[in-house]
Amino acid sequence: MGTLKSRVAIAEQSPKERRSNFNEVCLGYNIDEARLEATRCLECKKPKCVEACPVSINIPLFIKHIKSGDIAEAAKVIDLDSSLPAVCGRVCPQEIQCEGSCVMGKKGEPVSIGKLERFVADWTIKNHLELTTKSSKRNSRVAVIGSGPAGLSCASDLAKMGYEVTVFEALHMPGGVLVYGIPEFRLPKSIVEEQINQLKRIGVRFELDVIVGKTITVDSLMEEEGYGAVFISTGAGLPRFMGIPGENLNGVVSANEFLTRINLMKAYQGDYDTPVYIGKNVVVVGGGNVAMDAARSAIRLGSNVKIVYRRSEKELPARAEEVHHAIEEGVEFCFLTNPVEILSDEKGWVNELRCVKMRLGEPDSNGRRVPEPIPNSAFSISCDMVIMALGTSPNPLIINTTKGLKSERWGGIHVVNEFGKTTRPGVFAGGDAVTGAATVILAMQAGRKAAAAIDEFLRERDSKHFNFSSAN
């Protein structure tokens, strides 16, 4: 029975040290620390943590194996439900999911489920443990478009079922948002690479630099290439802007572009000839995890950074851990502040952000209090770079080039059920391309549900074909 009210502390780089490098901030548990933390788990008979996990990992069971020191068995338990544990252990919002439902959190701190998952996954990689076994080979081929968390999870499950799976990726490296959107100090690219290598070892193929909708189409994949089903998991990579004057000035960029240049193209490394503009005084607009990632990256590149957010600190959508780290590293927060105009010098470069102070009014239909401008409260922030981190939308390319594929008014792909079935037979979709920008774990959940639906679709199709052939 667990008795410790407080979590076992986890080692981190000091704020002063990490401001000057892109190395991982959190250093993870060693085996003794992990086993001690695991003793805090009460092994609930009806574990609410499992109910709160989008992919339903048997959390008490894998933690029980950590307690006993059998890390290989813990890894096998996690592998039944998650193909990306080293990723999820680092970037999932556990505080509002599994850990947020942990009974230990009622009288103390919840069990560090995410850090324990990360420990098991890292141990598995370090010890070269092969986990996955495949079912007998199926004759059908499945195309997965996009190699982010939804696509990787779907591909993993289908490969385990015995299908021949090919993942088509528009960029030169697989991983989607895991490699272009999340900084090295939160998610090392070597970890993503190893998780993808595990998929390759069970037969998943990756085709890079392929833009579906231009290089090839969904129609050609199904009608000419012979794929029995297609899963669209292209994410939401189209950045949003505010529509205020001055957004086209030099020095105004989207967080998407800024992070892609740093994360995927390694602009932070001196031996990479990747162009990236970085100001001395940077303002990041937004309050989500992407805003934190952009601000903390700019800090590491030598900038003074302010985050401007139109609501209060209480309403920040970013993970508490990321906000805490940002504050430690020197990011300044300007709450209840909203930009209204960006001004420039005589050469067209940003030199000032005009803002107004806000106050929170009545709640909207979602229960969030609506920010309202305070009259006569305009003021300016001196800056030479503005990074817009206001969310993203799905790219319309595939929708516009695929017959029979219905979209939502806001741009996402329309699905007819929770398993990602679209209006085009044999075509399924999930993740941010359907929901808009969300979390890694929710995208993984969508990928797993779609894999189950694709399996059912192909089995039903093959059964009808068999019955028809037999009748003749």
Side-chain angles (χ1 to χ4, degrees):
M1 297 286 285
T3 56
L4 298 173
K5 288 187 177 181
S6 297
R7 295 172 164 179
V8 174
I10 194 160
E12 294 181 346
Q13 280 196 80
S14 70
K16 182 179 180 180
E17 181 184 9
R18 66 186 189 240
R19 278 175 60 98
S20 60
N21 69 64
F22 275 76
N23 299 332
E24 192 166 13
V25 170
C26 178
L27 303 180
Y29 284 137
N30 62 36
I31 190 164
D32 293 330
E33 292 166 339
R35 292 186 70 179
L36 181 59
E37 178 62 21
T39 64
R40 301 182 63 236
C41 179
L42 300 176
E43 298 180 28
C44 303
K45 291 184 178 180
K46 294 183 178 180
K48 293 184 179 180
C49 57
V50 177
E51 295 177 9
C53 173
V55 295
S56 302
I57 294 171
N58 190 335
I59 294 166
L61 183 56
F62 95 72
I63 292 179
K64 182 178 181 179
H65 288 307
I66 297 175
K67 282 185 196 179
S68 67
D70 195 342
I71 313 306
E73 282 301 314
K76 291 175 184 177
V77 172
I78 296 172
D79 185 64
L80 292 172
D81 299 296
S82 174
S83 57
L84 302 171
V87 172
C88 291
R90 288 170 164 83
V91 303
C92 274
Q94 290 99 1
E95 65 275 11
I96 61 171
Q97 292 176 166
C98 54
E99 293 177 14
S101 299
C102 177
V103 172
M104 284 294 289
K106 292 183 177 180
K107 294 185 178 181
E109 290 184 300
V111 176
S112 294
I113 298 168
K115 298 296 190 292
L116 290 176
E117 180 185 20
R118 169 194 164 158
F119 165 75
V120 173
D122 288 357
W123 183 94
T124 302
I125 293 171
K126 183 178 179 180
N127 289 276
H128 308 289
L129 182 65
E130 293 296 333
L131 296 168
T132 304
T133 57
K134 294 177 63 176
S135 300
S136 56
K137 187 175 181 180
R138 301 293 308 278
N139 292 326
S140 300
R141 302 166 66 207
V142 180
V144 173
I145 305 171
S147 64
L152 295 177
S153 293
C154 183
S156 175
D157 280 11
L158 289 169
K160 292 174 185 178
M161 295 174 192
Y163 290 100
E164 182 182 328
V165 182
T166 302
V167 179
F168 296 92
E169 169 57 50
L171 298 175
H172 64 278
M173 183 183 296
V177 69
L178 303 177
V179 294
Y180 75 72
I182 303 177
E184 188 81 9
F185 54 79
R186 276 218 294 145
L187 179 62
K189 302 303 166 278
S190 60
I191 293 294
V192 181
E193 183 179 13
E194 181 52 42
Q195 300 270 259
I196 289 170
N197 285 340
Q198 289 177 3
L199 268 64
K200 290 179 179 179
R201 287 195 286 270
I202 61 171
V204 177
R205 294 178 60 246
F206 289 84
E207 295 284 345
L208 307 179
D209 298 310
V210 178
I211 302 175
V212 178
K214 286 192 173 181
T215 313
I216 55 175
T217 65
V218 171
D219 295 335
S220 67
L221 286 171
M222 300 187 76
E223 297 168 7
E224 300 171 20
E225 301 293 330
Y227 286 93
V230 172
F231 177 59
I232 303 172
S233 53
T234 47
L238 191 65
R240 295 175 185 164
F241 287 86
M242 295 186 70
I244 61 175
E247 280 186 311
N248 61 340
L249 292 171
N250 297 323
V252 181
V253 299
S254 70
N256 196 328
E257 177 187 348
F258 180 65
L259 290 172
T260 297
R261 289 180 181 274
I262 292 172
N263 300 332
L264 182 66
M265 303 169 72
K266 303 185 186 299
Y268 66 93
Q269 293 188 11
D271 55 344
Y272 276 76
D273 188 19
T274 305
V276 64
Y277 172 72
I278 184 71
K280 292 182 180 179
N281 297 293
V282 175
V283 176
V284 178
V285 182
N289 288 326
V290 174
M292 302 305 135
D293 288 343
R296 296 175 66 199
S297 294
I299 281 277
R300 283 159 171 76
L301 293 173
S303 304
N304 300 309
V305 182
K306 290 183 171 69
I307 285 180
V308 168
Y309 182 57
R310 64 180 184 152
R311 288 184 165 92
S312 72
E313 183 176 4
K314 183 180 178 181
E315 283 79 30
L316 272 174
R319 292 186 67 193
E321 183 179 43
E322 305 311 319
V323 176
H324 171 70
H325 283 155
I327 293 171
E328 282 189 330
E329 291 162 10
V331 176
E332 182 182 340
F333 285 78
C334 303
F335 295 110
L336 293 169
T337 300
N338 200 42
V340 292
E341 185 178 8
I342 305 170
L343 303 177
S344 70
D345 60 19
E346 65 280 359
K347 295 182 179 179
W349 284 88
V350 171
N351 69 358
E352 188 178 325
L353 182 67
R354 292 286 290 169
C355 302
V356 294
K357 298 299 292 182
M358 309 292 283
R359 61 189 171 205
L360 296 179
E362 296 300 316
D364 60 15
S365 58
N366 295 318
R368 297 183 77 191
R369 294 176 66 189
V370 178
E372 302 169 345
I374 297 174
N376 304 315
S377 64
F379 69 103
S380 293
I381 299 175
S382 178
C383 59
D384 54 1
M385 184 178 190
V386 176
I387 302 174
M388 294 293 185
L390 303 166
T392 52
S393 302
N395 191 308
L397 181 61
I398 288 183
I399 292 173
N400 293 339
T401 58
T402 305
K403 294 182 294 187
L405 196 63
K406 184 179 177 182
S407 65
E408 302 290 354
R409 290 182 63 184
W410 56 270
I413 297 172
H414 174 75
V415 295
V416 301
N417 60 24
E418 64 176 302
F419 295 96
K421 182 180 178 182
T422 71
T423 50
R424 167 76 180 268
V427 177
F428 299 78
D432 292 1
V434 170
T435 62
T439 62
V440 167
I441 191 65
L442 289 176
M444 289 176 60
Q445 179 190 50
R448 297 205 70 206
K449 286 186 174 183
I454 289 170
D455 178 48
E456 182 180 355
F457 168 79
L458 292 173
R459 286 180 182 275
E460 185 176 320
R461 185 203 64 178
D462 292 346
S463 175
K464 287 180 180 178
H465 178 74
F466 176 78
N467 291 334
F468 177 80
S469 300
S470 299
N472 288 278

